[in-house]
Amino acid sequence: MLIFVLNAGSSSLKFRVFDMSDKSVIAEGGCERIGIDGKLKYKNSKGLKYDERYPMPTHDEAFRRVTELLMTGDTAVIKSFDEIAAVGHRVVHGGYKLVKSELVTEEVIKEIERFTDFAPLHTPSQVRTIRACVNLFGPEKPQVAVFDTAFHQTMPPKAYIYGIPYEYYKKYHIRRYGFHGISHDYVSEHTAELMGRDITSIKMVVCHLGNGSTIAAIDGGKSVDCSTGFGTFDGLMMGTRSGQVDPAALFYLSKREGLSVDDLNELLTKKSGLLGISGISSDDREVENALFNGNERAALARTIQCYQVRRFIGGYSFAMGGLDAIVFTAGLGENSPSLREEVLQGLEAFGIELDLKKNEKTIRGKEGDISTVNSKVKIYVVPTNEELKIASDTIMVAGSHGLL
Ligand code: AMP
C-alpha cells in the first residue's frame, strides 16, 4: 500500500512516498524557495537522483510538479494516482479542538484555518497544499491531517495554563500547546520497543534537539509537559530562536531600541539562539567546529545549550516523580556525542551514567542504548521519523473510516 506524505513549510514542500508493506521509501525529496524562484530535489528507490530549478510561485505549482515527477519519465515510480492509497499531511497547529489525527474534510480544513494566527508561517501553505491535493486527486482520495500539537494535548492544565489573567485563556485560547509532537510520539513509542517494555509503565524525557527544539516529559506514553509553548520559541535556545526570555527584557529593549512587535518577533525567531550568541551560525556543526577551534562565543553558546537541556531533564524527572529513560533525537540530539556528554556529565548520583564509547559511536542514523549497564536511568539515541509516523497515522485514520 502506497502512502504519500507531504510536509509543507512557509516556502518549502517536503514529500515522501512509502510502500507500507515493508515501510520502504520509494520516492522522496523537497521543493525550496517556493514563492521566490523554486528549486526541487528528488530521488527514488531505483537510485535516480534529480535536481531542477522550476518556477513555483505558490505551493500549488510545487505540488503539481512533484506529482508529475512521480508519474512521468525517468523519475516515475507510479503509473497513476490510483496506486496511492492515501495522503498524509503534516499540520503544525491543530488549535485546541484537533487533538488527534483527522480525516481531511471541509470542516477540518476550516478548523485548521481558524488557528492560522497561531502558526502564521506554516498554516497557509499547509492548507493550500491540502486543497491542491483535493483538487488533483479528487475528494474520494483519503487524506489525513497529522498535527504537531496533538500529542501534547494530554498535558494537564497545571502544565499548559500561563500565569496571566484566565480570561485570555477562555477568550483567545492562549496556553502552552507544544510542538514537535509527531516526533515525540514516534520516538517515545520506538524507545519503549527498544526497552522491551510496555510504554504505559515508562517515564521518559525526550529531547528533540534540532534546528527547532522541544523537550517533552512523557509519562506512560502521554505528554505531560513540554518546553515549547503557545509559539515555537519558548523553552530552549534553538538555531535562531531565543528560547525562554523574561518579557521585562523585551519591554526594555522595545523602549530603548524603538522595536515594534514585528521587530521583536524577528529578533526572537530569526536573530537569536545559537546564531545570536555565537555570532557565527545557526547551524550547530559550524558552531561546534568553531568551539573545537577555541572560539569563546561558540563555547558559551554550547554551554548554555547543554545547561538548558540538563535543567529541563532535571525539572521534568522531578515533575513526573521519577525517570526511566532519557532519549536524544533530531539533527543535534542524534549526531552530537559531545553535546550529549556535556548535558549528562556528573549525574551518576542520580543513576544516570553515560557509556562514553557507545555515545561516540551512536551517530548518523544509528539507534540504541548509550548508558552503562549500571545506569538506573537508561539513555537512548533514537533517530526520529516524523514522515513514517504520519504514514502510519494515515493508514490508521483512513482505515478506521473504512476507506482503505
Ligand atoms: P534538524 O532540524 O533535526 O534537521 O537538525 C538540524 C541541526 O542538527 C543543525 O543545527 C545541524 O547542525 C545539527 N546537526 C546535524 N548533524 C550534526 C552533527 N554531525 N554534529 C552536530 N550537529 C549536527
Side-chain angles (χ1 to χ4, degrees):
M1 182 187 297
L2 300 189
I3 303 291
F4 188 17
V5 173
L6 290 161
N7 177 0
S10 52
S11 64
S12 65
L13 178 66
K14 292 189 208 141
F15 62 91
R16 218 172 255 191
V17 181
F18 285 97
D19 178 349
M20 291 302 278
S21 62
D22 60 0
K23 297 183 178 160
S24 61
V25 177
I26 63 164
E28 66 183 315
C31 306
E32 284 171 23
R33 298 176 64 85
I34 299 171
I36 307 168
D37 41 15
K39 264 173 85 178
L40 189 150
K41 276 187 196 299
Y42 179 101
K43 67 178 179 184
N44 69 20
S45 52
K46 296 170 194 156
L48 182 128
K49 283 190 182 169
Y50 177 74
D51 286 10
E52 69 173 6
R53 291 190 177 272
Y54 187 89
M56 297 171 187
T58 72
H59 282 70
D60 294 9
E61 292 79 19
F63 171 70
R64 240 177 280 129
R65 182 62 185 151
V66 169
T67 55
E68 272 169 23
L69 293 176
L70 289 175
M71 280 206 313
T72 50
D74 294 347
T75 53
V77 287
I78 54 172
K79 290 198 182 73
S80 96
F81 295 142
D82 295 343
E83 291 175 50
I84 291 175
V87 185
H89 297 269
R90 179 190 197 171
V91 179
V92 165
H93 216 303
Y96 68 98
K97 277 200 180 157
L98 299 167
V99 299
K100 57 179 179 44
S101 301
E102 294 278 358
L103 192 68
V104 171
T105 58
E106 192 51 36
E107 223 184 338
V108 167
I109 297 178
K110 292 243 160 69
E111 188 60 25
I112 296 170
E113 279 178 323
R114 216 153 73 80
F115 288 92
T116 301
D117 283 353
F118 285 15
L121 280 181
H122 291 88
T123 304
S125 52
Q126 291 173 341
V127 168
R128 195 162 187 143
T129 304
I130 293 174
R131 289 205 187 278
C133 207
V134 176
N135 285 340
L136 194 69
F137 290 167
E140 310 77 36
K141 182 77 70 193
Q143 294 195 52
V144 173
V146 182
F147 302 95
D148 257 316
T149 45
F151 182 66
H152 299 301
Q153 283 288 323
T154 48
M155 286 189 292
K158 66 183 176 188
Y160 71 69
I161 298 281
Y162 290 125
I164 58 173
Y166 192 69
E167 70 205 64
Y168 296 124
Y169 165 61
K170 298 303 277 181
K171 204 166 161 189
Y172 299 118
H173 310 289
I174 293 178
R175 48 160 287 178
R176 177 181 306 285
Y177 286 94
F179 296 88
H180 299 113
I182 301 168
S183 173
H184 281 111
D185 196 355
Y186 172 83
V187 168
S188 54
E189 267 178 25
H190 194 59
T191 303
E193 280 166 25
L194 291 178
M195 292 175 85
R197 279 176 58 179
D198 184 346
I199 197 165
T200 58
S201 71
I202 307 172
K203 293 180 193 300
M204 59 176 109
V205 173
V206 176
C207 307
H208 176 110
L209 308 175
N211 198 27
S213 303
T214 298
I215 299 193
I218 301 175
D219 193 349
K222 295 196 170 11
S223 172
V224 292
D225 205 348
C226 76
S227 61
T228 40
F230 178 73
T232 54
F233 58 83
D234 196 11
L236 300 164
M237 180 179 103
M238 313 179 196
T240 57
R241 292 175 242 171
S242 62
Q244 193 185 19
V245 182
D246 182 346
L250 304 176
F251 304 148
Y252 182 82
L253 254 185
S254 167
K255 283 194 185 136
R256 289 303 298 251
E257 300 258 326
L259 301 181
S260 66
V261 170
D262 287 344
D263 295 336
L264 284 175
N265 187 36
E266 173 95 2
L267 184 144
L268 295 177
T269 53
K270 305 239 171 79
K271 298 180 182 164
S272 297
L274 266 189
L275 174 66
I277 293 179
S278 72
I280 295 167
S281 170
S282 62
D283 189 310
D284 192 73
R285 276 165 294 200
E286 288 176 29
V287 177
E288 198 168 272
N289 275 339
L291 152 80
F292 293 149
N293 289 319
N295 183 297
E296 281 181 20
R297 293 246 308 265
L300 176 65
R302 169 53 70 86
T303 306
I304 295 170
Q305 235 177 352
C306 295
Y307 178 67
Q308 292 184 345
V309 174
R310 189 177 165 102
R311 235 175 21 180
F312 270 106
I313 295 172
Y316 285 164
S317 56
F318 258 60
M320 288 190 289
L323 186 63
D324 300 299
I326 298 167
V327 192
F328 289 94
T329 191
L332 188 49
E334 291 166 26
N335 291 301
S336 181
S338 69
L339 172 129
R340 297 188 300 238
E341 188 180 339
E342 191 170 335
V343 167
L344 298 177
Q345 70 192 355
L347 295 179
E348 293 76 12
F350 296 95
I352 299 168
E353 281 182 31
L354 187 69
D355 182 315
L356 296 179
K357 280 203 184 121
K358 287 190 207 159
N359 182 40
E360 280 302 320
K361 281 193 208 145
T362 315
I363 48 170
R364 289 193 209 97
K366 291 207 189 100
E367 65 177 27
D369 180 352
I370 55 168
S371 51
T372 65
V373 281
N374 293 326
S375 186
K376 287 207 189 87
V377 176
K378 292 285 133 198
I379 309 163
Y380 287 90
V381 175
V382 174
T384 192
N385 195 339
E386 288 150 304
E387 289 78 11
L388 182 57
K389 178 70 193 160
I390 295 169
S392 309
D393 271 27
T394 300
I395 292 183
M396 185 185 73
V397 173
S400 71
H401 285 81
L403 297 171
L404 293 177

PDB file of all heavy atoms in Angstrom, residues 210-212 282-285 288 330-332 335-336, ligand 1:
ATOM      1  N   GLY A 210      17.029  19.931  17.415  1.00  0.00           N
ATOM      2  CA  GLY A 210      17.390  20.146  16.016  1.00  0.00           C
ATOM      3  C   GLY A 210      17.532  21.632  15.801  1.00  0.00           C
ATOM      4  O   GLY A 210      17.878  22.373  16.719  1.00  0.00           O
ATOM      5  N   ASN A 211      17.210  22.064  14.606  1.00  0.00           N
ATOM      6  CA  ASN A 211      17.197  23.483  14.358  1.00  0.00           C
ATOM      7  C   ASN A 211      16.111  24.136  15.219  1.00  0.00           C
ATOM      8  O   ASN A 211      16.270  25.204  15.775  1.00  0.00           O
ATOM      9  CB  ASN A 211      16.953  23.693  12.871  1.00  0.00           C
ATOM     10  CG  ASN A 211      17.338  25.063  12.470  1.00  0.00           C
ATOM     11  OD1 ASN A 211      18.207  25.679  13.088  1.00  0.00           O
ATOM     12  ND2 ASN A 211      16.656  25.572  11.470  1.00  0.00           N
ATOM     13  N   GLY A 212      14.979  23.429  15.351  1.00  0.00           N
ATOM     14  CA  GLY A 212      13.958  23.748  16.353  1.00  0.00           C
ATOM     15  C   GLY A 212      14.031  22.661  17.412  1.00  0.00           C
ATOM     16  O   GLY A 212      14.354  21.522  17.086  1.00  0.00           O
ATOM     17  N   SER A 282      23.625  29.546  12.695  1.00  0.00           N
ATOM     18  CA  SER A 282      22.544  28.860  13.389  1.00  0.00           C
ATOM     19  C   SER A 282      22.745  27.349  13.278  1.00  0.00           C
ATOM     20  O   SER A 282      22.035  26.567  13.878  1.00  0.00           O
ATOM     21  CB  SER A 282      21.198  29.231  12.759  1.00  0.00           C
ATOM     22  OG  SER A 282      21.180  28.795  11.410  1.00  0.00           O
ATOM     23  N   ASP A 283      23.729  26.959  12.457  1.00  0.00           N
ATOM     24  CA  ASP A 283      23.976  25.535  12.233  1.00  0.00           C
ATOM     25  C   ASP A 283      24.945  25.035  13.293  1.00  0.00           C
ATOM     26  O   ASP A 283      26.070  25.525  13.400  1.00  0.00           O
ATOM     27  CB  ASP A 283      24.564  25.336  10.824  1.00  0.00           C
ATOM     28  CG  ASP A 283      24.637  23.868  10.458  1.00  0.00           C
ATOM     29  OD1 ASP A 283      25.165  23.081  11.273  1.00  0.00           O
ATOM     30  OD2 ASP A 283      24.175  23.502   9.370  1.00  0.00           O
ATOM     31  N   ASP A 284      24.494  24.050  14.049  1.00  0.00           N
ATOM     32  CA  ASP A 284      25.300  23.575  15.169  1.00  0.00           C
ATOM     33  C   ASP A 284      26.664  23.032  14.743  1.00  0.00           C
ATOM     34  O   ASP A 284      27.629  23.117  15.492  1.00  0.00           O
ATOM     35  CB  ASP A 284      24.531  22.510  15.944  1.00  0.00           C
ATOM     36  CG  ASP A 284      25.215  22.239  17.260  1.00  0.00           C
ATOM     37  OD1 ASP A 284      25.114  23.100  18.140  1.00  0.00           O
ATOM     38  OD2 ASP A 284      25.882  21.200  17.377  1.00  0.00           O
ATOM     39  N   ARG A 285      26.728  22.464  13.528  1.00  0.00           N
ATOM     40  CA  ARG A 285      28.017  21.911  13.094  1.00  0.00           C
ATOM     41  C   ARG A 285      29.070  23.005  12.989  1.00  0.00           C
ATOM     42  O   ARG A 285      30.223  22.822  13.384  1.00  0.00           O
ATOM     43  CB  ARG A 285      27.880  21.214  11.729  1.00  0.00           C
ATOM     44  CG  ARG A 285      27.395  19.793  11.864  1.00  0.00           C
ATOM     45  CD  ARG A 285      26.933  19.262  10.571  1.00  0.00           C
ATOM     46  NE  ARG A 285      25.745  19.996  10.136  1.00  0.00           N
ATOM     47  CZ  ARG A 285      24.876  19.543   9.254  1.00  0.00           C
ATOM     48  NH1 ARG A 285      25.077  18.394   8.673  1.00  0.00           N
ATOM     49  NH2 ARG A 285      23.808  20.238   8.931  1.00  0.00           N
ATOM     50  N   GLU A 288      29.957  24.106  16.451  1.00  0.00           N
ATOM     51  CA  GLU A 288      30.785  23.077  17.087  1.00  0.00           C
ATOM     52  C   GLU A 288      32.241  23.149  16.572  1.00  0.00           C
ATOM     53  O   GLU A 288      33.184  23.050  17.347  1.00  0.00           O
ATOM     54  CB  GLU A 288      30.174  21.693  16.832  1.00  0.00           C
ATOM     55  CG  GLU A 288      30.689  20.624  17.773  1.00  0.00           C
ATOM     56  CD  GLU A 288      29.867  19.342  17.714  1.00  0.00           C
ATOM     57  OE1 GLU A 288      28.888  19.224  18.438  1.00  0.00           O
ATOM     58  OE2 GLU A 288      30.210  18.455  16.925  1.00  0.00           O
ATOM     59  N   ALA A 330      16.594  13.987  16.759  1.00  0.00           N
ATOM     60  CA  ALA A 330      16.715  15.104  15.800  1.00  0.00           C
ATOM     61  C   ALA A 330      18.194  15.424  15.524  1.00  0.00           C
ATOM     62  O   ALA A 330      19.073  14.892  16.206  1.00  0.00           O
ATOM     63  CB  ALA A 330      15.957  16.341  16.267  1.00  0.00           C
ATOM     64  N   GLY A 331      18.435  16.299  14.545  1.00  0.00           N
ATOM     65  CA  GLY A 331      19.773  16.537  13.989  1.00  0.00           C
ATOM     66  C   GLY A 331      20.888  16.572  15.011  1.00  0.00           C
ATOM     67  O   GLY A 331      21.881  15.843  14.915  1.00  0.00           O
ATOM     68  N   LEU A 332      20.699  17.391  16.015  1.00  0.00           N
ATOM     69  CA  LEU A 332      21.737  17.583  17.021  1.00  0.00           C
ATOM     70  C   LEU A 332      21.724  16.457  18.063  1.00  0.00           C
ATOM     71  O   LEU A 332      22.786  15.920  18.430  1.00  0.00           O
ATOM     72  CB  LEU A 332      21.416  18.935  17.649  1.00  0.00           C
ATOM     73  CG  LEU A 332      22.292  19.623  18.610  1.00  0.00           C
ATOM     74  CD1 LEU A 332      23.703  19.681  18.113  1.00  0.00           C
ATOM     75  CD2 LEU A 332      21.757  21.049  18.760  1.00  0.00           C
ATOM     76  N   ASN A 335      23.274  13.393  16.516  1.00  0.00           N
ATOM     77  CA  ASN A 335      24.606  13.455  15.905  1.00  0.00           C
ATOM     78  C   ASN A 335      25.707  14.110  16.706  1.00  0.00           C
ATOM     79  O   ASN A 335      26.823  14.211  16.222  1.00  0.00           O
ATOM     80  CB  ASN A 335      24.499  14.194  14.562  1.00  0.00           C
ATOM     81  CG  ASN A 335      23.746  13.384  13.550  1.00  0.00           C
ATOM     82  OD1 ASN A 335      24.146  12.265  13.235  1.00  0.00           O
ATOM     83  ND2 ASN A 335      22.639  13.918  13.068  1.00  0.00           N
ATOM     84  N   SER A 336      25.406  14.602  17.894  1.00  0.00           N
ATOM     85  CA  SER A 336      26.465  15.294  18.632  1.00  0.00           C
ATOM     86  C   SER A 336      26.781  14.604  19.962  1.00  0.00           C
ATOM     87  O   SER A 336      26.208  14.944  21.004  1.00  0.00           O
ATOM     88  CB  SER A 336      26.079  16.755  18.864  1.00  0.00           C
ATOM     89  OG  SER A 336      27.120  17.403  19.554  1.00  0.00           O
TER      90      SER A 336
HETATM   91  P1  AMP B   1      17.121  19.129  12.296  1.00  0.00           P
HETATM   92  O1  AMP B   1      16.342  20.392  12.483  1.00  0.00           O
HETATM   93  O2  AMP B   1      16.610  17.982  13.108  1.00  0.00           O
HETATM   94  O3  AMP B   1      17.363  18.772  10.847  1.00  0.00           O
HETATM   95  O4  AMP B   1      18.594  19.418  12.900  1.00  0.00           O
HETATM   96  C1  AMP B   1      19.431  20.376  12.362  1.00  0.00           C
HETATM   97  C2  AMP B   1      20.540  20.686  13.372  1.00  0.00           C
HETATM   98  O5  AMP B   1      21.275  19.488  13.685  1.00  0.00           O
HETATM   99  C3  AMP B   1      21.552  21.678  12.818  1.00  0.00           C
HETATM  100  O6  AMP B   1      21.925  22.610  13.818  1.00  0.00           O
HETATM  101  C4  AMP B   1      22.714  20.801  12.474  1.00  0.00           C
HETATM  102  O7  AMP B   1      23.910  21.491  12.504  1.00  0.00           O
HETATM  103  C5  AMP B   1      22.664  19.762  13.576  1.00  0.00           C
HETATM  104  N1  AMP B   1      23.477  18.601  13.189  1.00  0.00           N
HETATM  105  C6  AMP B   1      23.271  17.761  12.177  1.00  0.00           C
HETATM  106  N2  AMP B   1      24.311  16.896  12.089  1.00  0.00           N
HETATM  107  C7  AMP B   1      25.186  17.240  13.083  1.00  0.00           C
HETATM  108  C8  AMP B   1      26.456  16.744  13.532  1.00  0.00           C
HETATM  109  N3  AMP B   1      27.049  15.726  12.904  1.00  0.00           N
HETATM  110  N4  AMP B   1      27.035  17.305  14.599  1.00  0.00           N
HETATM  111  C9  AMP B   1      26.471  18.336  15.231  1.00  0.00           C
HETATM  112  N5  AMP B   1      25.276  18.848  14.839  1.00  0.00           N
HETATM  113  C10 AMP B   1      24.637  18.313  13.797  1.00  0.00           C
END
